[in-house]
């Protein structure tokens, strides 16, 4: 017997209609590639999104077809979020940091019909335009008077498209399982794989992410998503901010410390979201110039493990709460967020800090397991490590396309789980901590060494700007850790001093066998260190005593 | 084209499994009718809910069948919330404050199979047991050694049922549109009507209600639902507390000021929820005994309009934030919650207060309209009144049963809306304010007089404990307001003083024509004043000058 409540599908268009109706005058502030600061509101953005939805129809985009973007965080990109998905097409956000060949592969694989791009990426678009098979229109997201001279075929101006339409588009109603958006993983091996989100998965993720124990934003917040809208929908913030009617500040291409600091100060940003590497830059800038970060109250950091030293800088130096989160493209992306429970508030401060360094608890809707190589559950004791499996309504079922792999594994009850590729512990209170990517694991004498732990210890040294611990083959122990370090400008530290620095902080057999200094560690398209590149680079490194 | 995310139905059982896994040791504290304070945890409650799910099967309860409760807020009632709905049956909460004849009508109409009850209601159950047609088992929710001598047929002991089972019940997976629970409206006219919630409507309501702009609770809260679990699922708190892993304090039958204050103080309650009449009692008790309410930080109040004077007592007297909310049985119940937006924080305090007295903004998922008698939209200007219509995934579609009325009205686009029976204004920022129940409206010379406004002014007088403004027929103006007042014990106030008290606070033609003093105003089964009773009582009242 069914309940007798209204059947109302969960649709992304409801986010912008709700925001326009209930928070119509709330500002959306963007730093544009035109160079200026642009201001609009949810109500105006709703109008323009509806104009753009008309324009998409005019370009022949049909329900289910993919519309690609190559764009920074800005109001036009946000308009496309609602115009494309809201009208029943699929928003395909491309990562501009990918190699042109990978981009071409993705464009063809997704069969994108239209490509919207910021001018920054004109050279990239020109490099692939002649070769991609399905794109029929290229649209420059720029004011009319700044349209570039380009030989791109069918090059259109975003503002022309908008100007030609009325804001009277009526958002269609359809099945909530309809595809809404597409994002490819930045697979370090093999071809990138597409994750095809649905309206339902996106809306449930949005509801869940807004909870006080998750991202926890409200209509009293001013939110700065530094995390890019081209990667996993900027952790869903374009959606969740519309849901609660929060002011949005979109940083455009300027992700340097100075530009971010300026936005935080002038726009009174209360909540920011980004990956650790971005915040490293901003903290350095703010420190060097003895600036304040006054309006900022909370920042959510994920994408890679947050070094504890960064947490302390934010909290002790600036009184900013750091919220550690974990997720992945295949999870829309939110999996866990680290928040203290009531009973933890009575713990000594250092115990609280240690807990907050974990990746945190499953957001309601996500189920987690850690398993051994045989697939048996590993104890939730905060010590035993296992492969992390997840499931839930915003977790991938299969990858996009006819060749789309089905990544799930079944448990003994037949339930299906997504193997994250992360290795983790979970404690009795349900707090998960990533110890490694399974492919980055260092296995010494049959036992795991946590590379993230080793990196966090290194990062706590005042002279270390960035550090990666990688496995080097070893005749006796199979593998031993090598620490690869980037020094902070103007500082000195030796191999011996760093090895000494580990004493008492980790088990003695965890201490790296060697340290090498480099100018830079390669960073991938989504801000993560490319350890496979490092392993390649140091594959012939000779450890001392070998 | 559909998205390729996991299909995972939204089921109520996931709330208790999640809570048990992630917040297993969080306390659930109940004041029992046995008289003592009982302590359990989410993990233990999950075990007992699974034992009870087995027991329900043993009693022959099948999927979709209704299981009734007549019970206070307590852990056994909470176990039934999960055991009944989680196993695929329908939890039917009965309001013990109803007249036995109404109760009998509801039991028969719902075709309840089993009736669980707290001993308080034994006389009531005995009064209806012989006459109700479908109930096969009566279960007393009491320790074995306290089982009453009763002639009830098939009387079982709750603890016997539990003790006979193992906690290895596996929650079934089924369509999320399956019915989960049933609650009848306390219709003041006609037969009560059943609202049949689904797992989907309940889970979406739970996600939405947890948002910082709605109820906003977290794993750092200790929640006291004074609002009864027998009426609209205690505003969903049994679900939302499990979702976030909040400590729960369940007050049982003791809703007097002393008992509530004791729980707040000893259990460190941070968040409480109740109707205004309950808080009137507690505030009086706390004031008279010069007590503190220290641990309490926020209280959400709804069910009837919160008198501004009560807001001021809580906030100025005790530093407790009052959150005004509006909803109805037909809405699961949450419709609006009043929270300031960022821009309002700059308003002068009295402007903020005036805003917080409104019923608030639509919780994301709920759409609102106000319409004139022809069904045309009324302006959102904060002044124009209209009939309030709502829609959304947790709003009723049709009432339960073969005779279930379809209450919805269609707009010009064909979209369906539920007419709330409330009259309201909405301002440009989307803040809704109830001015009246449509049937309580006072219409003088063709113009509406807001009875809630008149009552709020009266309640602000130090000698007024409770006040109702009702329409009295008038030869010239059609209707004029009569104020019915209950004085606070030990105070004096005259008709003339109260009329004088209105000067300058409302338009002069709104001032009540007359005041009568009574010992008590009749209160209905859900804590609302029964104005229809008052109108009946005073229908021959002669206004001065008539
Ligand atoms: N905050 C509130 N202010 C005024 N009336 C309210 C409020 N909350 C609930 N109500 C009234 O209670 C009705 C729902 O009653 P019930 O279905 O019994 O919960 C609504 O239609 C309103 O008339």
């Amino acid at each position: 017997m069914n309940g007798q409540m209204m059947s109302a599908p969960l649709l992304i268009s409801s986010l912008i209609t709700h925001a326009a109706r209930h928070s119509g005058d709330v500002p959306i502030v963007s730093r544009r590639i035109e160079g200026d600061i642009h201001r609009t509101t949810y109500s105006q953005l709703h109008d323009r999104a509806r104009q753009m939805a008309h324009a998409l129809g005019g370009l022949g985009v049909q329900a289910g077809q993919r519309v690609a973007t190559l764009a920074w965080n800005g109001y036009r990109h946000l308009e496309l979020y609602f115009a494309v998905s809201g009208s029943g097409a699929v928003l395909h956000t491309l990562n501009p940091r990918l190699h042109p060949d990978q981009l071409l592969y993705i464009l063809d694989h997704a069969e994108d019909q239209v490509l919207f791009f910021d001018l920054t990426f004109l050279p990239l678009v020109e490099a692939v335009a002649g070769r991609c098979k399905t794109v029929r229109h290229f649209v420059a997201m720029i004011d009319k008077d700044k349209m570039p001279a380009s030989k791109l075929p069918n090059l259109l101006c975003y503002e022309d498209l908008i100007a030609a339409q009325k804001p009277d588009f009526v958002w269609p109603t359809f099945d909530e399982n309809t595809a809404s958006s597409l994002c490819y993983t930045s697979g370090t091996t093999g071809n990138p794989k597409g994750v095809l989100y649905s309206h339902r998965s996106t809306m449930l993720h949005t509801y869940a992410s807004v909870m006080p124990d998750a991202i926890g934003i409200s209509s009293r917040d001013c939110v700065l998503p530094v995390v890019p809208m081209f990667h996993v929908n900027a952790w869903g913030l374009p959606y969740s901010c519309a849901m609660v009617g929060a002011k949005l500040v979109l940083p455009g291409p300027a992700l340097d410390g100075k530009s971010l600091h300026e936005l935080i100060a002038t726009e009174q940003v209360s909540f920011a979201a980004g990956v650790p590497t971005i915040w490293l830059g901003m903290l350095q800038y703010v420190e060097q110039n003895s600036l304040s970060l006054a309006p900022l109250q909370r920042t959510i950091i994920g994408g890679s493990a947050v070094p504890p030293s960064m947490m302390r800088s934010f909290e002790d130096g600036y009184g900013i709460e750091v919220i550690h989160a974990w997720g992945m493209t295949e999870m829309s992306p939110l999996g866990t967020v680290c928040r203290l429970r009531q009973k933890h508030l009575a713990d000594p401060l250092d115990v609280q800090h240690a807990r907050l360094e974990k990746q945190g608890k499953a957001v309601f809707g996500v189920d987690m397991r850690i398993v051994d190589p045989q697939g048996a559950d590993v104890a939730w004791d905060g010590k035993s490590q296992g492969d992390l499996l997840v499931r839930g309504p915003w977790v991938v079922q299969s990858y996009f396309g006819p060749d789309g792999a089905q990544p799930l594994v079944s448990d003994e009850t037949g339930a299906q789980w997504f193997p994250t590729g992360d290795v983790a512990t979970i404690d009795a209170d349900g707090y998960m901590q990533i110890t490694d990517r399974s492919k980055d694991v260092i296995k010494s004498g049959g036992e795991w060494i946590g590379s993230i732990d080793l990196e966090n210890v290194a990062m706590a040294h005042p002279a270390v700007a960035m550090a990666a611990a990688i496995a080097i083959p070893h005749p006796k122990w199979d593998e031993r850790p090598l620490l690869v370090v980037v020094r902070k400008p103007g500082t000195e530290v030796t191999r011996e001093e760093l090895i000494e620095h580990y004493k008492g902080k980790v088990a003695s057999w965890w201490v790296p066998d060697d340290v090498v200094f480099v100018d830079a560690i390669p960073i991938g398209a989504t801000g993560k260190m490319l350890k496979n590149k490092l392993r390649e680079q140091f594959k012939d490194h000779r450890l001392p005593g070998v």
Side-chain angles (χ1 to χ4, degrees), chain A residues 163-241:
Chain A
Q165 305 293 340
K166 291 215 190 85
D168 60 357
F169 185 87
V170 178
W171 301 112
T173 299
F174 42 74
D175 185 333
E176 68 188 30
N177 291 301
T178 302
S180 64
S181 30
L182 177 63
C183 183
Y184 280 71
T185 61
S186 51
T188 42
T189 53
N191 278 325
K193 296 187 286 279
V195 181
L196 188 66
Y197 309 111
S198 69
H199 285 260
R200 174 182 168 92
S201 70
T202 304
M203 292 303 289
L204 291 177
H205 179 268
T206 307
Y207 267 129
S209 70
V210 164
M211 285 199 272
D213 284 304
I215 291 183
I217 52 170
S218 79
S219 61
R220 284 163 301 291
D221 276 308
C222 171
V223 177
L224 172 73
V226 184
V227 43
M229 288 167 68
F230 58 71
H231 184 59
V232 218
N233 305 320
W235 302 350
L237 288 166
Y239 306 122
S240 50
C241 287

Side-chain angles (χ1 to χ4, degrees), chain A residues 223-386:
Chain A
V223 177
L224 172 73
V226 184
V227 43
M229 288 167 68
F230 58 71
H231 184 59
V232 218
N233 305 320
W235 302 350
L237 288 166
Y239 306 122
S240 50
C241 287
M243 183 177 266
V244 306
K247 176 176 171 184
L248 257 174
V249 179
L250 301 170
L255 305 182
D256 59 291
K258 180 166 185 298
S259 305
L260 293 179
H261 174 265
E262 197 176 279
L263 280 182
I264 291 171
T266 56
E267 297 299 334
Q268 298 289 308
V269 170
S270 64
F271 184 95
V275 297
T277 39
I278 285 289
W279 297 131
L280 267 184
M282 191 186 71
L283 282 174
Q284 267 174 29
Y285 171 79
V286 174
E287 258 163 51
Q288 276 159 15
N289 297 277
S290 313
L291 297 169
S292 124
L293 281 169
L296 196 59
Q297 293 157 13
R298 289 121 58 219
T299 171
I300 185 157
I301 312 188
S304 329
V306 182
S309 52
M310 177 179 291
M311 286 206 163
R312 299 274 56 77
S313 303
F314 268 117
E315 300 197 4
D316 303 344
Y318 303 94
I320 296 167
E321 184 189 3
V322 174
I323 304 154
H324 195 182
W326 165 86
M328 29 194 337
T329 309
E330 286 89 340
M331 298 184 74
S332 307
L334 220 56
T336 62
V337 180
C338 200
R339 299 277 193 173
L340 297 181
R341 277 172 40 188
Q342 189 181 34
K343 72 167 181 181
H344 301 132
L345 301 177
D347 287 341
L349 224 52
D350 56 332
V351 175
Q352 292 190 16
H353 288 162
R355 179 167 295 284
L356 287 168
E357 287 160 15
K358 301 192 175 203
Q359 274 72 12
K361 295 185 64 155
V363 172
F364 183 88
V366 171
D367 259 359
M368 300 188 297
R369 288 175 73 196
I370 41 175
V371 297
D372 66 19
Q374 286 69 48
D377 276 298
V378 162
W380 286 26
D381 58 11
K383 293 198 191 79
S384 311
Q385 302 184 81

